[in-house]
Amino acid sequence: MSDENHSYNPAQIEPRWQQYWLERKTFRTPNPGEAGFDPAKPKYYILDMFPYPSGAGLHVGHPEGYTATDVMARYKRMRGFNVLHPMGWDAFGLPAEQYAIQTGTHPRETTAKNVEVFRRQIRQLGFSYDWNREIDTTDPAYFRWTQWIFLKLYEKGLAYMAEVPVNWCEALGTVLANEEVIDGKSERGGHPVTRLMLRQWMLKITAYADRLLDDLDGLDWPEPIKLMQRNWIGKSEGAEVDFELDAEAAGKAKAAGLDGKLRVYTTRPDTLYGATFMVLAPEHPLVRHITAPDRKAGVAAYAEKAARETEITRTDDTREKTGVFTGAHAINPVNGERVPVWIADYVMMGYGTGAIMAVPAHDTRDHEFACKFGLPVREVVSGGENVQKAAWTGDGILVNSPEINGLGVPDAKAKITAFLERKGAGKKAVRYKLRDWLFSRQRYWGEPIPVLHDVQTGDLVPLSPDDLPLTLPELADFKPTGDPAGPLVKAKEWLVLDHGGRKFRRETNTMPQWAGSSWYFLRFIDPRNDREAWSKEAENYWMPVDLYVGGAEHAVLHLLYSRFWHKVFFDLGLVHTKEPFSRLFNQGLILGEDGQKMSKSRGNVVNPEQVVEQAGADSLRLFELFMGPLDQMKPWSTSGVAGVRRFLDRVWRVAIDDRSGALHSSVKDMPVPDDLDRLLSRTVKKVAEDIENLRFNTAISAMMELVNDLTGRTERPRRALETLTLILAPFAPHIGEELWSRLGHQESLAYEPFPAWSEAHLVDATATLVVQVNGKLRARLEVPRGSTEEAVKQLALADVSVARAVDGKPFRKVIFVPDKILNLVV
Ligand code: ANZ
């Protein structure tokens, strides 16, 4: 016998099984109608948020979600499902472009290289993706359909161009969507963002606001994500109220062709009697006309300053209130009171009507404003302590309000709104915070927008679907031009074209990063289709996604955009479900060993490749899930990895003799003893249920207990080891396949049925039986379940207190209820 070491060696077995799976296409998933497709099986579509292939490669946060979905995918295959489990690359994006600007390397090259690294790293972890379905959003064969979708949106009037206030990021040389601006800075890079009016492409997501809101109810999604979407859509119900301008201001407004009315939006029409002044957004079109001559300079200066501030700054409630009086007045429609009209930057032009009635007694911002400028505060809802000191925003009974005195807030709202409607001075209104989606970027590395501009007429002419894909022109210099045209204007030949005597200029803005990911889950179902984006048949079978796992940071970006597109597809008859993702799960962030967020600068980043080298992919996978509940934030731990590695060493040793490499001599073809059989049933059931509920850490603990038990045995029935191998395999598939083959199986275990458990085994083996003598409790006995009356009687009489009570007397009557009670009457 050689003294070669046959202990568990992942470095040897893991690459071999990865090769095996790839070569045999073990995880290839046929579509309906294709060879090998089994229509009798139910389907399960399980999706990861596909990564942006950054230059830094994979970090340990990626495999957390990917391992979770992989366990589920492998488990579902064993439970007899047709499983769709694909992977691809969300590869348009700023980093590759910025690298191109610095180095001149074409983003296509950088992207291809990064994809290469990601693919290798992901394959190294043994995920069971169907690599035949790999997609790349930057591939013309893919983005041709992204452009096709854009044409559909355009056709439906959902894509339009408009002069809009935008978030302009000087450092990035592009505009950004509201969702991409966080605290006044760009989401990527943290650069300052300013406001500018530009003509841009917009998508009419607001037309879907109600459906995006209502359909959240039916989704199995984490509540915090649903709440964030609800808040982002921000539906509010209230009233529009018209205040007449006083005669002088009204005259000036009318002379300028404007209405002599000041329309406000309020969610609290019940407080109308408490309106003591009005505030207009500084950009409000009335401002220029109604401002008194002696106030014009001050008002203009204030407006100019406000225009330069971002919306985020302006809505920051902690800032001290500022504003100026216009000199004009308006008339309150319910009491004829004359109130002053101010401008202030806390009123936004883009929300409601860009004007408010200020009720300082019941609105905190208005209260601060009134205090600062000495404006009156009038209580109209009782319940506050002293509204002169602080606004009362809660419920109460209406006071100082002749039409509605004595009513509660909801009744007062309804009554006053009806009153305004009768007077023709107002009506019910609904508002949303959601804005249309700014869809153009001044960038190179994105999907070209397939539209031409007629140079003479300025008309927009969409390309024909037959002209797609419209590919990117080659450029030598990717630098932003600093103007709204973007770098594509540099492609002189690509830019202009003559057609039928007309001269056209191509649209030079590209689509945002989010375009390709708004529909990729639909391409996965039919990725090589070159006649359509996806076939109806494939869509009917695979959609919706049954489980979607990814980070919570996409709550109001990708997860809202893709729901929007999906609803458009639904209206076009392209998909049969209203929602794309039935169940969503957010994995928690993995922190560095120091408990801090991983970052290059802190030097606490864990590289999965190194972990694989030291402990093996199966250990990495197990540890990713053993660390704690999937949805929680948790720190990395090197000793934790070593711990799960020791567990796998033990798994190996219960089956394999590590001196010879043969099956361990304790492994026997023998019936499974009763106690072990019960433990097996309990473990299998626990693991199955935990997987279904994404509670992987407790499933792993249960398997550890089973392995402890097996380690302590000198005889290990083959069936017990096979069961262990099969339930462990979804988590640690390499060691799973290796043991399975060493246990004598020729085929991969990927499609072996998941072990069954027996419910009968789950009930306790023993029962606690009560023994009475003449109705008096004398003993409690632990007996094997199903013990006979005779056996129980023997046991009972052996008990001292029972024997004493019976005292050798004959039984007059014996009452016996199996597993429950023995009553001896003497
Ligand atoms: C009078 C009032 C009295 C208000 C009161 C509130 C409390 P949501 O719920 O977010 O829709 N508002 C309206 N348009 C605005 C704008 N363009 N910029 C800033 N604020 C604006 O909030 C609607 C409320 O926000 C409206 O109701 C209005 O103030 C203010 F005791 O009107 B309210």
Side-chain angles (χ1 to χ4, degrees):
M1 186 165 295
S2 81
D3 48 32
E4 198 190 327
N5 188 355
H6 292 278
S7 55
Y8 172 48
N9 184 358
Q12 207 173 51
I13 65 176
E14 289 180 349
R16 218 176 50 229
W17 285 105
Q18 286 159 18
Q19 195 60 28
Y20 174 101
W21 295 325
L22 271 182
E23 271 166 15
R24 314 250 174 144
K25 297 195 187 302
T26 307
F27 303 113
R28 207 188 138 188
T29 308
N31 263 3
E34 285 176 1
F37 176 77
D38 181 352
K41 289 183 175 181
K43 70 98 182 178
Y44 197 80
Y45 184 177
I46 178 160
L47 183 68
D48 293 294
M49 289 186 185
F50 67 159
Y52 172 74
S54 78
L58 229 50
H59 58 77
V60 289
H62 286 118
E64 187 192 16
Y66 301 167
T67 308
T69 54
D70 197 56
V71 171
M72 184 66 92
R74 288 175 177 273
Y75 167 78
K76 287 284 181 186
R77 280 187 206 101
M78 294 172 85
R79 295 300 294 250
F81 285 77
N82 284 327
V83 172
L84 181 59
H85 187 38
M87 181 43 86
W89 320 109
D90 186 16
F92 275 127
L94 207 49
E97 178 155 341
Q98 285 175 327
Y99 189 69
I101 292 166
Q102 283 160 23
T103 64
T105 321
H106 198 287
R108 195 180 296 118
E109 277 173 45
T110 317
T111 303
K113 234 173 57 205
N114 293 349
V115 162
E116 193 71 34
V117 173
F118 263 66
R119 194 191 292 114
R120 181 174 53 73
Q121 290 184 323
I122 284 180
R123 281 192 179 160
Q124 223 184 27
L125 299 178
F127 297 130
S128 61
Y129 294 121
D130 176 359
W131 288 105
N132 272 33
R133 293 176 186 261
E134 182 180 344
I135 55 177
D136 175 341
T137 55
T138 65
D139 180 351
Y142 180 90
F143 72 65
R144 160 184 186 186
W145 300 110
T146 313
Q147 290 172 328
W148 177 81
I149 292 165
F150 182 88
L151 293 179
K152 286 279 167 207
L153 291 164
Y154 184 77
E155 214 176 278
K156 278 208 79 183
L158 293 168
Y160 64 98
M161 279 198 101
E163 183 93 3
V164 289
V166 297
N167 307 297
W168 173 258
C169 181
E170 192 65 47
L172 299 177
T174 183
V175 302
L176 298 172
N178 285 337
E179 291 84 348
E180 293 170 308
V181 180
I182 293 162
D183 295 334
K185 303 237 162 69
S186 63
E187 187 226 9
R188 299 202 175 233
H191 304 293
V193 171
T194 51
R195 276 158 27 93
L196 219 68
M197 292 298 283
L198 281 182
R199 198 167 145 76
Q200 294 286 296
W201 281 100
M202 306 292 290
L203 296 190
K204 211 180 253 169
I205 190 172
T206 52
Y208 285 79
D210 267 321
R211 286 164 64 186
L212 287 169
L213 199 60
D214 295 344
D215 292 345
L216 279 174
D217 293 337
L219 296 178
D220 181 6
W221 282 27
E223 275 310 316
I225 300 281
K226 290 202 212 177
L227 186 66
M228 280 166 82
Q229 291 211 349
R230 285 195 188 100
N231 290 342
W232 189 261
I233 295 166
K235 181 173 185 170
S236 101
E237 283 167 275
E240 280 178 2
V241 185
D242 289 335
F243 284 61
E244 296 286 342
L245 286 164
D246 73 354
E248 198 192 333
K252 287 192 276 187
K254 283 180 185 152
L258 293 166
D259 209 359
K261 284 185 200 133
L262 189 49
R263 176 165 293 178
V264 303
Y265 173 67
T266 177
T267 43
R268 296 289 306 273
D270 55 305
T271 62
L272 196 45
Y273 287 92
T276 53
F277 57 102
M278 320 280 298
V279 185
L280 304 186
E283 306 86 339
H284 197 289
L286 271 175
V287 172
R288 281 190 328 142
H289 307 292
I290 62 171
T291 302
D294 57 327
R295 296 185 184 270
K296 280 217 148 87
V299 165
Y302 184 85
E304 203 177 296
K305 196 170 136 264
R308 283 197 305 264
E309 270 156 0
T310 66
E311 190 155 320
I312 315 284
T313 320
R314 286 176 53 171
T315 47
D316 178 356
D317 281 340
T318 63
R319 278 167 86 226
E320 194 179 322
K321 296 283 167 294
T322 57
V324 288
F325 178 43
T326 62
H329 289 81
I331 314 294
N332 188 328
V334 288
N335 56 11
E337 208 169 273
R338 202 166 162 264
V339 293
V341 180
W342 288 64
I343 64 168
D345 65 2
Y346 76 91
V347 176
M348 274 346 109
M349 193 56 224
Y351 188 65
T353 61
I356 65 160
M357 61 177 207
V359 184
H362 304 292
D363 181 275
T364 313
R365 294 170 306 173
D366 299 344
H367 194 274
E368 284 170 31
F369 196 86
C371 289
K372 171 134 185 221
F373 296 104
L375 294 159
V377 178
R378 184 189 309 140
E379 177 177 54
V380 291
V381 180
S382 65
E385 292 243 307
N386 176 358
V387 295
Q388 299 304 326
K389 289 225 175 75
W392 170 246
T393 57
D395 264 341
I397 300 297
L398 271 287
V399 294
N400 300 323
S401 307
E403 274 301 317
I404 45 179
N405 272 333
L407 295 179
V409 168
D411 290 342
K413 279 184 182 172
K415 191 166 175 204
I416 201 74
T417 308
F419 175 78
L420 289 167
E421 272 171 15
R422 277 200 307 278
K423 277 193 64 178
K427 59 175 193 297
K428 261 199 186 144
V430 178
R431 295 284 164 179
Y432 301 88
K433 294 245 155 61
L434 187 68
R435 296 274 146 277
D436 276 344
W437 175 10
L438 177 59
F439 199 67
S440 34
R441 296 292 181 277
Q442 293 69 49
R443 280 187 196 157
Y444 175 75
W445 194 228
E447 300 88 345
I449 294 176
V451 174
L452 301 173
H453 299 258
D454 185 313
V455 174
Q456 259 93 52
T457 63
D459 287 350
L460 296 174
V461 182
L463 293 189
S464 141
D466 302 330
D467 294 334
L468 302 180
L470 169 62
T471 54
L472 283 163
E474 296 304 314
L475 276 191
D477 166 19
F478 303 94
K479 263 200 233 40
T481 49
D483 72 38
L488 286 184
V489 279
K490 298 179 197 172
K492 293 276 176 313
E493 270 174 37
W494 179 86
L495 188 63
V496 284
L497 62 165
D498 278 303
H499 191 76
R502 283 165 81 186
K503 235 181 149 69
F504 296 96
R505 194 170 182 276
R506 287 194 193 277
E507 172 60 58
T508 54
N509 281 186
T510 52
M511 299 187 201
Q513 156 98 75
W514 312 103
S517 59
S518 291
W519 73 283
Y520 76 109
F521 44 93
L522 287 162
R523 190 61 181 170
F524 274 142
I525 66 178
D526 198 8
R528 305 289 167 252
N529 193 336
D530 56 10
R531 285 160 294 112
E532 48 196 346
W534 60 83
S535 79
K536 200 78 203 91
E537 199 188 9
E539 191 278 329
N540 249 316
Y541 183 73
W542 287 117
M543 286 301 286
V545 173
D546 297 282
L547 177 63
Y548 194 19
V549 176
E553 68 275 15
H554 296 295
V556 292
L557 291 159
H558 160 63
L559 287 172
L560 194 60
Y561 296 152
S562 44
R563 290 184 63 222
F564 161 44
W565 280 28
H566 206 76
K567 290 185 185 306
V568 177
F569 301 153
F570 181 80
D571 292 349
L572 290 168
L574 294 168
V575 299
H576 77 287
T577 63
K578 291 185 176 155
E579 288 286 334
F581 316 121
S582 308
R583 183 181 181 196
L584 174 74
F585 199 89
N586 299 123
Q587 84 266 20
L589 201 64
I590 294 186
L591 305 170
E593 290 222 59
D594 53 1
Q596 303 286 318
K597 211 177 152 175
M598 283 192 198
S599 80
K600 260 199 210 139
S601 60
R602 283 206 191 84
N604 61 352
V605 177
V606 179
N607 174 348
E609 249 176 304
Q610 255 165 30
V611 181
V612 170
E613 219 169 89
Q614 283 154 11
D618 280 341
S619 291
L620 172 69
R621 294 172 56 117
L622 263 185
F623 182 63
E624 294 267 359
L625 299 181
F626 188 56
M627 292 172 77
L630 184 63
D631 57 351
Q632 264 163 45
M633 191 152 82
K634 54 231 157 194
W636 187 257
S637 156
T638 306
S639 62
V641 179
V644 294
R645 169 61 198 262
R646 280 196 300 280
F647 163 63
L648 290 182
D649 285 332
R650 242 176 307 133
V651 169
W652 184 262
R653 285 197 304 265
V654 295
I656 308 294
D657 183 333
D658 52 15
R659 280 161 310 168
S660 68
L663 274 189
H664 198 276
S665 58
S666 63
V667 179
K668 299 236 159 70
D669 286 304
M670 60 184 268
V672 179
D674 211 43
D675 63 327
L676 179 57
D677 217 10
R678 284 174 199 287
L679 177 61
L680 282 176
S681 265
R682 258 208 324 273
T683 313
V684 171
K685 179 170 191 243
K686 170 99 182 119
V687 170
E689 288 179 353
D690 281 353
I691 293 176
E692 301 270 5
N693 293 310
L694 304 167
R695 288 193 306 248
F696 302 108
N697 55 328
T698 48
I700 297 169
S701 307
M703 290 188 281
M704 287 175 167
E705 275 173 46
L706 174 61
V707 172
N708 281 345
D709 178 280
L710 289 170
T711 304
R713 285 175 193 263
T714 48
E715 293 193 311
R716 299 175 186 138
R718 178 184 291 271
R719 179 162 73 74
L721 291 179
E722 289 191 341
T723 301
L724 168 65
T725 305
L726 290 172
I727 62 175
L728 178 64
F731 297 81
H734 309 88
I735 192 174
E737 293 278 21
E738 184 69 24
L739 293 180
W740 190 246
S741 94
R742 288 182 187 225
L743 284 162
H745 300 274
Q746 307 301 317
E747 290 291 317
S748 157
L749 52 61
Y751 296 91
E752 255 335 281
F754 197 80
W757 63 85
S758 131
E759 285 294 336
H761 278 160
L762 298 171
V763 289
D764 269 340
T766 58
T768 308
L769 196 137
V770 168
V771 184
Q772 297 178 331
V773 179
N774 294 337
K776 258 187 104 174
L777 177 70
R778 293 296 173 187
R780 285 175 205 277
L781 299 177
E782 281 294 307
V783 299
R785 256 178 203 282
S787 297
T788 60
E789 178 177 331
E790 217 27 62
V792 173
K793 234 191 306 186
Q794 296 292 323
L795 275 173
L797 289 172
D799 182 278
V800 197
S801 40
V802 175
R804 199 176 297 139
V806 172
D807 197 20
K809 291 179 202 124
F811 304 132
R812 284 206 293 145
K813 210 165 134 196
V814 176
I815 302 156
F816 177 69
V817 184
D819 299 336
K820 292 225 161 65
I821 193 165
L822 175 71
N823 192 358
L824 305 169
V825 183
V826 297

